Amino acid sequence: MAKGAYTYDPGKLKEFGKDRMRFELGDTMVEGLSDTTALTDEEIQAAIESYPKSWKRAKLFLLESLCRRFAYEVDTKTGPLQLYMQERAKLWREDYDKLKKEVSAESCSIPQFRNGAHNKPPYFYAGMQQNERARNR
């Protein structure tokens, strides 16, 4: 089985790509590879490519994956070291819930088509029920 890549370049945060997504998710500690990073570069890129027109939907897709993946992790204490794994999962869950509401609200709104094939006059317009023949008599 092939291993995934774990890279992060903060210089690319202006681009809507893998590095920005990793930054927004808070998954930037790539030095430890799979021990410190939740998502591979390939997973992030696949999500972005699955939703090329919606950055928020790609992010929601990844957050859902993180929530499912880390929901069963438990807090751990080994000697003086304590890992609060549930806190990390809780934070991603809160981000997921907030973004899901935002994406749902956007998908319920009336789309505003302003270009291309959708640049048609509105179906309903003022005076559309006036009878032209009756006016010309």
Side-chain angles (χ1 to χ4, degrees):
M1 186 165 115
K3 295 273 183 180
Y6 299 91
T7 60
Y8 173 65
D9 182 0
K12 294 184 178 180
L13 291 181
K14 291 182 181 179
E15 303 169 19
F16 281 89
K18 168 197 61 75
D19 297 295
R20 182 176 180 135
M21 186 66 80
R22 198 176 279 289
F23 175 78
E24 288 186 14
L25 294 172
D27 190 29
T28 59
M29 292 177 44
V30 295
E31 298 81 16
L33 304 177
S34 63
D35 291 335
T36 58
T37 312
L39 297 166
T40 65
D41 292 352
E42 293 81 4
E43 290 170 319
I44 295 171
Q45 194 58 45
I48 293 169
E49 291 171 6
S50 294
Y51 299 96
K53 295 181 180 182
S54 178
W55 180 260
K56 289 180 182 179
R57 286 192 183 274
K59 186 175 177 181
L60 187 65
F61 181 73
L62 290 169
L63 281 168
E64 181 178 6
S65 172
L66 290 169
C67 288
R68 291 180 190 279
R69 192 178 309 178
F70 294 104
Y72 299 105
E73 285 193 346
V74 295
D75 294 342
T76 305
K77 181 178 180 179
T78 305
L81 176 66
Q82 292 184 349
L83 299 173
Y84 297 100
M85 305 304 252
Q86 283 298 305
E87 290 298 317
R88 180 171 72 163
K90 181 181 173 188
L91 179 64
W92 278 325
R93 183 65 192 193
E94 289 169 359
D95 287 348
Y96 172 79
D97 291 339
K98 180 181 172 187
L99 188 58
K100 184 170 175 106
K101 286 179 186 176
E102 192 175 318
V103 168
S104 294
E106 287 175 3
S107 67
C108 292
S109 65
I110 298 171
Q112 299 294 319
F113 300 111
R114 300 192 192 287
N115 57 13
H118 300 290
N119 195 10
K120 298 177 184 176
Y123 184 78
F124 298 104
Y125 55 91
M128 70 181 282
Q129 294 184 358
Q130 293 177 351
N131 186 338
E132 293 294 323
R133 291 185 300 200
R135 189 180 341 171
N136 294 333
R137 286 187 189 170

